[in-house]
Amino acid sequence: MELNGQLALTVLMGLFLVAVAAWLARVENWRSYTPLGSGGGGYGQESGYVSQEKPSGFIRWLTTVDHKDIGMLYGAFGVTAFLVGGAMVMLMRAELTVPEMTLISNQFYNSLMTSHGITMLFLFGTPIIAAFSNYFIPLVIGADDMAFPRINAIAFWLLPPAALLIWAGFFPVPDVIPAQTSWTMYTPLSAGVGQGNQANAGVDLMLLGLHLSGISATMGAINFIVTIFTERAEEVTWANLDIFSWTILTQSGLILFSFPLLGSALLMLLADRNLGTTFFAVDGGGPMLWQHLFWFFGHPEVYILVLPPMGLVSYILPRFSGRRLFGFKFVVYSTLAIGVLSFGVWAHHMFATGMDPRLRASFMAVSMAIAIPSAVKTFNWITTMWNGSIRLTAPMLFCIGFVSNFIVGGVTGVFLASIPVDLVLHDTYYVVGHFHYIVMGAIAFAGFAGLYYWYPIYTGRMYQRSLAKWHFWLWMIGSNVTFFAMILLGYGGMPRRYATYLPQFTDLHQVASIGAFIMTLGALIFLWNFVVSWYEGPVVRDGDPWDLKEDSLYTTEWEWFDRKLKTAVADGGEALPGGEESDAAEN
Amino acid sequence: MAVKIFDRETILDLTVNIIPLFIIGFFLGLFLLYQAWGWDTLPSVLMIGLHVVPLVTLALLTYLSGKAIAGSEKTGDVFHQGQALVPGASEKEHGGAEAEPAIAEAGDEDEDEESGTEETRAAE
Ligand code: HEM
Ligand SMILES: [Cu+2]
């Protein structure tokens, strides 16, 4: 009986795959995909036919290898994941308004927390950065497309299955439960041994999904490294490379050296779980091995996430300060320094594990050293704004919010890097406050700066400015209320990763939840504005909607946009006044 | 290449990375001179390695990137970031014309400050 059912399912699956293959063969002319035949091996020339053969409608999005389309796909994916991860955390914040267990079970709380972390880091953070880099880097460096357009498409299309695997435990599949390992997946819990329920297949699926997202990131990274090294236009020398491309180049290097390591560690963990190996078993390799491997990836990962947003801010902030980025080359060199040093600090996440004090001190020393390049950038941003003619547009507000939040996040980080302080604050809400100031207060803010700044380019329209400012202020206030409360909770000794707490922490937890609800309101406003303006916003008819030319701050991607507007076939007049409106500088 | 790449200007740009190098070197010296936990071969050698490896890699990358950036600065036109392909964009080095960015709406800024900053930039 069971066997028959499985057989039927297999046959059905096979038929389905054949049908898909047949359908694909009809919509795509596979024979045009012979890159070697295009002569001269010039990958850059491919985009000629790539853009000619774009099918229309839905199929276009499934088959596209155009870097701009893929950037849009990454963007849509990232924003969606952000909403999912946000919904997860709002359930948790609702639960945390009271000390005891009420709304959800503590197991479900742990599942949400695990998924929230992984979703935000791997399914929102990396993809939203890839959205900007895919769309804009080839434009800014004067490349026809990415060096390997098809690998680019594959890298993106690995992400949706990765997301499904990571979230698998939440779907109504019998006997599969979500992982409750937290994003750090510490053994022995994640090895599934002992009394817990983490031997469940849901954890394996999550690990496989994570592995898949790592493959995607690695493919993307290789593509960016090759593109930036080999596809730059002649004028774009190393001295002329913009800061965003520099940060993406560095980020790609970090990905290249850290994600394969995560992948290997995940496979070892999967083997421990399913094949009886003892890599991380207490009397095998030991749980500390996992921590070392994980954080050797994990610390570079946080810089993988923060460097490109730093690049975005360094790129956008000067445009609304009426002047160039102060100390451009300082920013470039310090980016590279962060890239190297981020591999030498991993054990500052393990100060409390009882490792040899000599090693611990070494990691503290390098952690102190890495604070310098970060601080240098902060001073550069502030100096750029100092006495500039600042225009408080929505992207600029988000840039300023980034700088402000990054300062709090960075300073709390330096305190944590000091061993005696860390021994007190480790595993408290202080750490949660620290990294949320950075991942939410800085990285997400930079993402929004980019989404608003380039909105005219990728939608052809302008968003509603007053709503964008509402979004900013709700988020600036909300994030500081939430995450500062967390820092105070940490000082009070509130441990992280608990669904319940002692009554003395109630007030601050409620404050944190209020901040989170303020941000939810802001997010709804953002979503409304983002979608409605896409359809109904005033059409942008000028390639310089931010008036950058006045300050000689006009850049290549706007120049491209301008050319596109001018050469576009007139499609029979939409209301002009809207277009006029959108050139007026916001303020 | 005939032009000297690592001149005073370039070294000045590289100070951002020389400072962390110095900090790591300082701690290495400190930990070697004052060994609070004594000497045991494995942990002590690891300790030295944890300083020396970042130190050497960072020094190497700083040297290579300095060479690439300052080198192309000296042999080609230098534009501000993102502007190399904008027709008619002014160059960085001899860009006297762009020194006074028009102050758009706000118009409340001090012109002297503006040009002061541009001089700082040009001096970099
Ligand atoms: C100024 C540089 C920084 C320093 C010195 C620093 C230091 C630290 C330290 C020592 C911890 C461990 C705290 C503990 O668990 O006891 C920590 C945790 C963390 N930091 Fe930072 N940090 C810095 C910047 C950043 C940045 C830029 C990001 C994100 C992009 C970040 C993200 C995180 C995360 C996610 C954790 C928590 C990991 C976990 O246990 O789940 N940090 N930081
Ligand atoms: Cu770290």
Side-chain angles (χ1 to χ4, degrees):
Chain A
M1 168 65 215
E2 237 173 45
L3 201 76
N4 281 342
Q6 273 188 6
L7 209 67
L9 212 71
T10 314
V11 172
L12 206 70
M13 232 22 225
L15 285 178
F16 175 68
L17 287 178
V18 171
V20 169
W23 180 70
L24 277 178
R26 278 190 41 191
V27 297
E28 271 298 337
N29 179 6
W30 295 105
R31 252 173 302 173
S32 71
Y33 285 111
T34 42
L36 291 177
S38 66
Y43 281 103
Q45 286 135 26
E46 280 178 6
S47 70
Y49 71 79
V50 163
S51 54
Q52 269 164 25
E53 288 196 8
K54 256 190 214 171
S56 59
F58 193 55
I59 305 219
R60 162 183 170 193
W61 293 104
L62 292 180
T63 58
T64 182
V65 293
D66 178 337
H67 68 96
K68 297 187 291 297
D69 290 349
I70 291 174
M72 301 288 280
L73 288 171
Y74 270 114
F77 181 87
V79 171
T80 312
F82 192 59
L83 298 175
V84 174
M88 288 173 171
V89 83
M90 287 319 295
L91 261 176
M92 291 157 63
R93 281 310 336 166
E95 168 62 50
L96 289 171
T97 49
V98 286
E100 62 280 355
M101 222 56 259
T102 45
L103 200 60
I104 52 180
S105 72
N106 51 10
Q107 294 203 345
F108 193 56
Y109 180 93
N110 291 345
S111 313
L112 288 174
M113 192 198 65
T114 303
S115 255
H116 164 74
I118 295 178
T119 301
M120 288 306 197
L121 294 177
F122 298 96
L123 304 179
F124 161 67
T126 322
I128 198 76
I129 292 166
F132 294 117
S133 50
N134 269 294
Y135 202 110
F136 292 108
I137 285 190
L139 294 180
V140 174
I141 68 173
D144 286 343
D145 201 306
M146 295 291 289
F148 309 115
R150 281 175 205 100
I151 291 186
N152 206 19
I154 297 170
F156 170 76
W157 284 108
L158 288 180
L159 280 179
L164 291 181
L165 286 170
I166 287 171
W167 298 331
F170 289 99
F171 300 136
V173 187
D175 295 334
V176 176
I177 60 167
Q180 298 166 35
T181 56
S182 106
W183 84 287
T184 51
M185 300 167 284
Y186 276 9
T187 52
L189 174 67
S190 62
V193 297
Q195 302 295 313
N197 55 8
Q198 292 301 287
N200 189 276
V203 183
D204 295 298
L205 294 181
M206 181 275 279
L207 295 173
L208 287 170
L210 207 53
H211 195 269
L212 208 55
S213 85
I215 295 175
S216 153
T218 312
M219 285 173 136
I222 293 171
N223 215 342
F224 277 110
I225 294 175
V226 177
T227 306
I228 293 176
F229 264 89
T230 63
E231 302 281 308
R232 280 173 292 137
E234 210 176 313
E235 296 87 339
V236 186
T237 60
W238 286 122
N240 291 336
L241 193 62
D242 64 285
I243 188 68
F244 182 54
S245 303
W246 272 113
T247 53
I248 287 290
L249 183 62
T250 314
Q251 181 220 29
S252 301
L254 295 185
I255 290 178
L256 198 61
F257 286 107
S258 65
F259 265 92
L261 184 122
L262 174 73
S264 320
L266 287 174
L267 290 182
M268 287 156 76
L269 185 57
L270 280 164
D272 266 14
R273 293 172 57 85
N274 298 300
L275 305 177
T277 53
T278 55
F279 290 116
F280 308 116
V282 177
D283 32 276
M288 281 287 274
L289 176 62
W290 171 263
Q291 296 198 19
H292 277 296
L293 290 179
F294 179 81
W295 286 115
F296 188 86
F297 148 81
H299 186 84
E301 163 69 5
V302 306
Y303 280 98
I304 287 168
L305 289 169
V306 85
L307 282 176
M310 285 172 159
L312 283 177
V313 168
S314 308
Y315 195 77
I316 297 173
L317 181 137
R319 323 258 159 234
F320 299 103
S321 307
R323 55 159 68 138
R324 320 281 181 199
L325 180 65
F326 178 84
F328 171 74
K329 272 182 279 170
F330 285 166
V331 181
V332 171
Y333 290 124
S334 60
T335 299
L336 296 168
I338 289 180
V340 170
L341 294 182
S342 65
F343 282 102
V345 300
W346 76 89
H348 66 209
H349 297 272
M350 303 162 59
F351 281 160
T353 54
M355 70 173 104
D356 189 279
R358 281 161 286 216
L359 303 186
R360 200 160 64 173
S362 315
F363 285 108
M364 177 175 87
V366 184
S367 300
M368 293 292 162
I370 205 174
I372 302 295
S374 310
V376 164
K377 288 181 201 294
T378 312
F379 286 119
N380 279 316
W381 295 320
I382 295 174
T383 320
T384 305
M385 288 189 286
W386 196 268
N387 275 327
S389 67
I390 288 177
R391 292 184 286 152
L392 293 179
T393 60
M396 181 62 169
L397 286 171
F398 275 101
C399 287
I400 298 174
F402 172 103
V403 177
S404 159
N405 292 335
F406 183 74
I407 292 173
V408 183
V411 169
T412 49
V414 177
F415 277 95
L416 286 174
S418 156
I419 296 167
V421 180
D422 185 70
L423 291 180
V424 177
L425 294 173
H426 175 64
D427 258 345
T428 68
Y429 261 65
Y430 186 91
V431 178
V432 184
H434 152 66
F435 69 77
H436 276 92
Y437 259 101
I438 294 177
V439 288
M440 181 67 156
I443 296 170
F445 271 48
F448 285 118
L451 285 177
Y452 283 122
Y453 178 61
W454 284 309
Y455 196 83
I457 290 195
Y458 60 81
T459 65
R461 292 173 187 265
M462 191 46 114
Y463 57 81
Q464 292 188 45
R465 281 146 185 161
S466 50
L467 288 185
K469 285 183 185 168
W470 270 100
H471 172 202
F472 169 75
W473 284 111
L474 288 171
W475 272 49
M476 192 64 195
I477 294 167
S479 58
N480 277 279
V481 167
T482 301
F483 303 129
F484 206 75
M486 289 186 176
I487 288 180
L488 297 179
L489 278 168
Y491 281 135
M494 168 77 207
R496 60 191 284 208
R497 299 182 176 132
Y498 279 85
T500 55
Y501 50 85
L502 298 176
Q504 76 227 42
F505 296 120
T506 310
D507 292 345
L508 281 170
H509 265 302
Q510 287 174 346
V511 170
S513 289
I514 290 173
F517 281 108
I518 296 177
M519 280 187 272
T520 309
L521 184 61
L524 292 176
I525 293 180
F526 157 76
L527 203 62
W528 164 267
N529 191 6
F530 195 70
V531 174
V532 171
S533 304
W534 202 307
Y535 290 105
E536 297 176 356
V539 175
V540 173
R541 299 198 177 274
D542 167 16
D544 186 16
W546 299 116
D547 291 331
L548 300 177
K549 279 183 183 155
E550 277 176 33
D551 296 344
S552 324
L553 293 169
Y554 200 57
T555 48
T556 314
E557 78 278 18
W558 292 106
E559 159 79 24
W560 168 85
F561 178 57
D562 193 43
R563 245 181 300 130
K564 188 178 127 182
L565 286 180
K566 290 200 174 113
T567 53
V569 187
D571 59 344
E574 283 179 65
L576 250 169
E580 305 285 338
E581 241 168 42
S582 59
D583 331 332
E586 192 174 330
N587 208 351
Chain B
M1 232 178 285
V3 276
K4 186 163 173 277
I5 289 179
F6 288 94
D7 57 8
R8 220 180 68 91
E9 295 302 322
T10 312
I11 300 289
L12 204 67
D13 289 334
L14 294 179
T15 42
V16 268
N17 287 11
I18 296 173
I19 295 169
L21 285 175
F22 175 81
I23 293 178
I24 298 176
F26 169 82
F27 275 108
L28 180 60
L30 182 76
F31 293 154
L32 283 178
L33 285 178
Y34 176 70
Q35 302 201 355
W37 296 279
W39 177 275
D40 285 305
T41 311
L42 181 65
S44 297
V45 169
L46 283 177
M47 175 185 87
I48 296 172
L50 285 169
H51 287 84
V52 170
V53 173
L55 193 97
V56 171
T57 341
L58 179 56
L60 204 69
L61 185 70
T62 304
Y63 169 76
L64 288 176
S65 57
K67 206 169 116 176
I69 295 174
S72 56
E73 227 166 32
K74 268 152 209 175
T75 49
D77 295 336
V78 183
F79 296 92
H80 290 284
Q81 60 162 338
Q83 297 191 321
L85 298 170
V86 178
S90 49
E91 283 170 38
K92 221 172 184 175
E93 308 290 66
H94 8 84
E98 34 99 23
E100 298 287 316
I103 292 155
E105 302 57 28
D108 51 1
E109 297 307 330
D110 182 350
E111 297 269 335
D112 294 341
E113 289 289 340
E114 289 289 324
S115 52
T117 323
E118 285 301 326
E119 272 152 31
T120 328
R121 274 228 51 89
E124 256 170 44

